[in-house]
Amino acid sequence: MMVKEIEKSGMPVVHMANMTPVAQGIGSNRIVKTYGISFPMFDPNATPEAQKQQRYELVGRALKALNTPVQESTVFE
Amino acid sequence: MKPVIAYVNQFFGQIGGEDKADYAPELRTGAAGPAQALQAQLKDAEITHTIICGDNFMASHTEQALEQIAGFLKELDCALLAAGPAFNAGRYGFSCGEVCKLAWERFHIPALTSMNEGNPGVELYRKSAYILKGHDTAAGMRKDVAAMAALANKLLAGEPLLGADAEGYFGRGIRKEVILKDHRSAADRAVDMLLHKLRGEPFQTEFLVEQEDRVPPLPPVDPSKLRIAFVTTSGLVPAGNPDHLPSGGSTFWARYEIGNRETLEKGEFISVHGGYNTGYAAENPMVLLPLDALKQHVRDGHIGSLHPYYYVLTGNQTAKGDAVRMAREIVAKVREDAVQAIILGST
């Protein structure tokens, strides 16, 4: 709901979320699927080095989503 | 006795709280948790089994969870599936909705549940299930279960339904031909409605045209040229929670400085969110706000610049109206600092 409102105001926005059907249902247009509800940005079972790499790549995906044309609600896996 | 199957999450199935939210689907004989109260009010029907599944398991492994549940349903006789009630709990609403949809679409088992109007599950699943209009918290459990039992009894007895409003569920978008008791024609009713309107009297449309509230996607932007802000609904705050951000039902947001930091360390930041397991965030707050990654992308030239504050609220049980207002307030605030795009992380 917040994401939709932010986009409505003319501010480009990307939604990093785990429950992507919900994110799509509430009207987010650019969605990046995260690792988990309680651990969105990396897998807590990975090594610290791998975790660092995971969050860097996930943010990279969010940046790519901002720069990708979409016609409708789209999940960037 | 008609067989009914109930669905509840790990909490109401008495498996455990957030630490057990990854619990895989289990089939239990008889009625468990709120299903016991439902059973007491059912006429000529028996809850033969209760399916219990952790909300995070359903959200994160949806396909796997549904396959397992489909495996249970395939083997059982079932005249009706009753899920929840889910109140305003977002993940639970999603779980109940997915299971109802599975029962109806794959097995043609009528399914009912109960959710508060603020639950995102309502819009996602009201076409696949009877979703009764429920309370926002478990304090309304007794009434929500009674409403579910009343509708369940009607459905099981094959009694005709009087339509969504009269029965208390969210409209399913189904049009049904009915003969009115007073036999008044559409022309008479339309003229009546017009007269009421002209006199300024209240009147009720007979068919509400649904309007999809979608915002068309904005054109792509190149983040390497933009100033970007990070917003999170995770309840991430400095240790001690200086602004007393609530664990749910946020009516205000807070912002905290990250301009001079490269990382968020254990012990410096915590999450006060009441709707998920905050243990991972306590261990490493960057699981919610990937600050080192954002800063590295700035250095690598992928982000023009990073706004020196992050914005935070607690996403669970926040009313729609508050969410909309806070989104507008945050946009206005970051615009003062020439922010041109937002990354929003949710949990």
Side-chain angles (χ1 to χ4, degrees):
Chain A
M1 278 165 260
M2 291 192 70
V3 175
K4 186 168 77 179
E5 197 57 32
I6 291 168
E7 188 141 21
K8 198 189 268 181
S9 77
M11 175 76 74
V13 58
V14 53
H15 188 186
M16 301 180 80
N18 187 245
M19 296 169 69
T20 53
V22 173
Q24 292 197 286
I26 60 177
S28 300
N29 286 323
R30 289 180 172 87
I31 302 159
V32 170
K33 187 169 170 74
T34 56
Y35 283 90
I37 288 167
S38 306
F39 43 90
M41 299 300 168
F42 56 78
D43 174 4
N45 295 316
T47 63
E49 296 73 38
Q51 291 177 353
K52 194 178 165 89
Q53 186 61 25
Q54 285 170 350
R55 53 185 182 264
Y56 182 80
E57 283 171 13
L58 205 61
V59 171
R61 204 171 301 161
L63 299 174
K64 191 174 157 239
L66 277 175
N67 204 3
T68 304
V70 301
Q71 301 304 318
E72 55 181 9
S73 179
T74 304
V75 178
F76 294 80
E77 297 251 2
Chain B
M1 292 287 249
K2 290 190 172 145
V4 173
I5 294 177
Y7 176 87
V8 296
N9 70 0
Q10 84 286 348
F11 180 74
F12 289 105
Q14 291 155 21
I15 304 290
E18 280 302 327
D19 54 325
K20 299 286 184 197
D22 280 315
Y23 195 77
E26 181 203 329
L27 182 68
R28 199 172 282 189
T29 309
Q36 293 175 336
L38 182 63
Q39 173 68 74
Q41 299 171 66
L42 288 180
K43 292 177 199 154
D44 197 31
E46 186 191 354
I47 297 175
T48 59
H49 296 84
T50 304
I51 298 168
I52 304 170
C53 177
D55 281 336
N56 284 359
F57 191 90
M58 179 61 82
S60 303
H61 312 281
T62 313
E63 221 165 289
Q64 192 189 338
L66 292 176
E67 272 320 304
Q68 274 177 264
I69 292 169
F72 300 153
L73 293 177
K74 218 179 328 184
E75 303 298 324
L76 299 169
D77 265 343
C78 180
L80 180 81
L81 184 133
F87 317 108
N88 197 7
R91 279 171 302 159
Y92 195 19
F94 172 77
S95 303
C96 289
E98 281 291 332
V99 173
C100 287
K101 189 174 161 194
L102 173 83
W104 176 241
E105 291 184 357
R106 210 182 308 173
F107 298 97
H108 299 291
I109 300 169
L112 72 87
T113 181
S114 163
M115 298 184 202
N116 181 254
E117 61 180 345
N119 197 318
V122 170
E123 280 312 306
L124 285 174
Y125 303 107
R126 67 195 175 93
K127 290 189 174 151
S128 318
Y130 298 97
I131 305 178
L132 286 149
K133 296 176 180 173
H135 291 78
D136 60 345
T137 69
M141 169 77 85
R142 204 173 48 81
K143 286 181 181 164
D144 287 355
V145 169
M148 283 173 67
L151 185 62
N153 284 329
K154 265 192 142 168
L155 289 168
L156 289 166
E159 284 177 37
L161 298 182
L162 305 173
D165 284 343
E167 302 288 354
Y169 60 86
F170 294 97
R172 302 185 65 175
I174 297 169
R175 291 195 215 186
K176 216 169 170 181
E177 198 172 43
V178 292
I179 294 172
L180 294 178
K181 277 183 189 145
D182 57 12
H183 295 284
R184 298 192 66 231
S185 73
D188 286 341
R189 302 200 307 277
V191 170
D192 264 4
M193 207 183 288
L194 182 62
L195 290 174
H196 278 291
K197 189 171 184 175
L198 291 172
R199 288 188 210 118
E201 293 164 3
F203 61 94
Q204 183 76 45
T205 176
E206 291 183 7
F207 186 72
L208 205 62
V209 177
E210 290 194 31
Q211 289 183 340
E212 270 223 52
D213 185 20
R214 290 268 157 192
V215 175
L218 288 168
V221 288
D222 179 359
S224 70
K225 297 186 169 63
L226 304 182
R227 189 161 179 77
I228 285 181
F230 193 90
V231 178
T232 174
T233 59
S234 65
L236 180 74
V237 294
N241 191 11
D243 297 301
H244 307 288
L245 201 72
S247 64
S250 263
T251 54
F252 67 94
W253 48 270
R255 66 173 202 168
Y256 299 104
E257 203 178 349
I258 46 171
N260 298 322
R261 292 177 163 274
E262 286 298 315
T263 61
L264 305 178
E265 299 295 332
K266 176 179 178 176
E268 293 181 326
F269 288 82
I270 54 158
S271 168
V272 293
H273 198 292
Y276 66 90
N277 181 358
T278 56
Y280 300 108
E283 207 51 47
N284 183 353
M286 287 193 288
V287 80
L288 302 177
L289 197 182
L291 185 60
D292 60 348
L294 290 164
K295 295 268 170 152
Q296 189 60 44
H297 278 292
V298 173
R299 279 193 292 274
D300 293 345
H302 305 148
I303 295 176
S305 63
L306 188 66
H307 176 63
Y309 294 88
Y310 78 90
Y311 293 72
V312 60
L313 52 108
T314 312
N316 65 324
Q317 309 214 325
T318 293
K320 267 188 203 171
D322 286 328
V324 167
R325 171 182 53 79
M326 288 189 282
R328 287 181 188 154
E329 289 169 358
I330 290 171
V331 168
K333 191 73 191 168
V334 297
R335 279 212 168 112
E336 290 173 9
D337 187 40
V339 164
Q340 296 146 300
I342 287 175
I343 301 176
L344 186 143
S346 63
T347 46

